[in-house]
Amino acid sequence: ATTDGGAGAGTAVFPSIDIANGAPSGVSAPNTIVLGWSDNRAGLDNEQAYLSYSANRGASYSPATAVSTAGDRANQPAVAIAPNATKVYVTYNAWHQDGQTTTANARPSEGVVLSGTPGGTLTEVNRGASGDARGSSANSLTAEFLGDYNYAVASDTYGSTVWNDVRNATDCPAVDAFRQSLANGSPIPRPSPCQTPPIGFGDTEIF
């Protein structure tokens, strides 16, 4: 797909890991490890975020459990576990367009935050405003740019998450045509990105 943000079959994208280390002193640290990633084992265009836990310092892990909200094509999840292992937090980008071979259609996406008990049910606690991922860009203009700065941290009393957000990004037809030409194997000259104040192309933010 030309602008598909999903993982390849069986491929974990940007795995994230955290450990309940008993911070700040480390005394009585449970050393529970949480590992998060996304893949499409449930089928193409059905990417989900998965978590797995270790209670023995990584010697073995629990089976992978899908935690993302139904209907989200979850990508690049970040995870955090409280130092005392009582709470876990996850953030990811949710995509709502199947893989496609054209850049002419919108690519709606938003950030999602979940929280819950390790090994238990995670609840959606925040869903950001949706935007068009075509309005994001790597420096070369050749591809969208989302997810790399998703992150999560946790204390015993709260969690904090950040995610890439395109709610204020504007699609640029000239860049769409450029990216399509690359996918078609007939590159056209790299365009100047569109700008429409006060928002514009490439306005990817951290929320």
Side-chain angles (χ1 to χ4, degrees):
T2 9
T3 56
D4 186 12
T11 302
V13 176
F14 284 80
S16 174
I17 193 168
D18 196 23
I19 183 170
N21 61 4
S25 69
V27 175
S28 300
N31 293 318
T32 304
I33 301 172
V34 58
L35 176 64
W37 71 95
S38 64
D39 65 41
N40 66 359
R41 69 184 64 191
L44 186 64
D45 295 323
N46 189 27
E47 293 82 4
Q48 298 181 50
Y50 293 89
L51 294 186
S52 180
Y53 297 91
S54 174
N56 52 15
R57 303 188 179 191
S60 62
Y61 283 83
S62 65
T65 300
V67 297
S68 45
T69 301
D72 289 348
R73 293 182 62 203
N75 197 27
Q76 294 173 308
V79 301
I81 190 170
N84 62 8
T86 59
K87 203 75 174 285
V88 66
Y89 304 88
V90 179
T91 186
Y92 61 83
N93 284 111
W95 302 78
H96 301 289
Q97 172 66 47
D98 289 348
Q100 53 193 17
T101 57
T102 177
T103 59
N105 299 329
R107 295 262 294 147
S109 176
E110 72 271 351
V112 178
V113 180
L114 313 173
S115 72
T117 56
T121 301
L122 271 61
T123 301
E124 184 177 307
V125 294
N126 185 74
R127 181 171 291 266
S130 183
D132 189 344
R134 294 178 302 168
S136 68
S137 186
N139 292 337
S140 62
L141 299 182
T142 58
E144 299 166 6
F145 183 79
L146 280 179
D148 280 15
Y149 295 104
N150 295 351
Y151 201 73
V153 295
S155 75
D156 287 341
T157 55
Y158 72 92
S160 180
T161 63
V162 294
W163 65 88
N164 279 185
D165 196 290
V166 287
R167 69 184 69 187
N168 291 324
T170 303
D171 176 49
C172 177
V175 173
D176 289 344
F178 172 61
R179 292 174 177 169
Q180 189 68 55
S181 76
L182 299 179
N184 293 343
S186 302
I188 61 176
R190 194 185 312 272
S192 296
C194 312
Q195 290 299 312
T196 309
I199 59 176
F201 175 78
D203 189 5
T204 305
E205 298 168 309
I206 302 297
F207 272 72

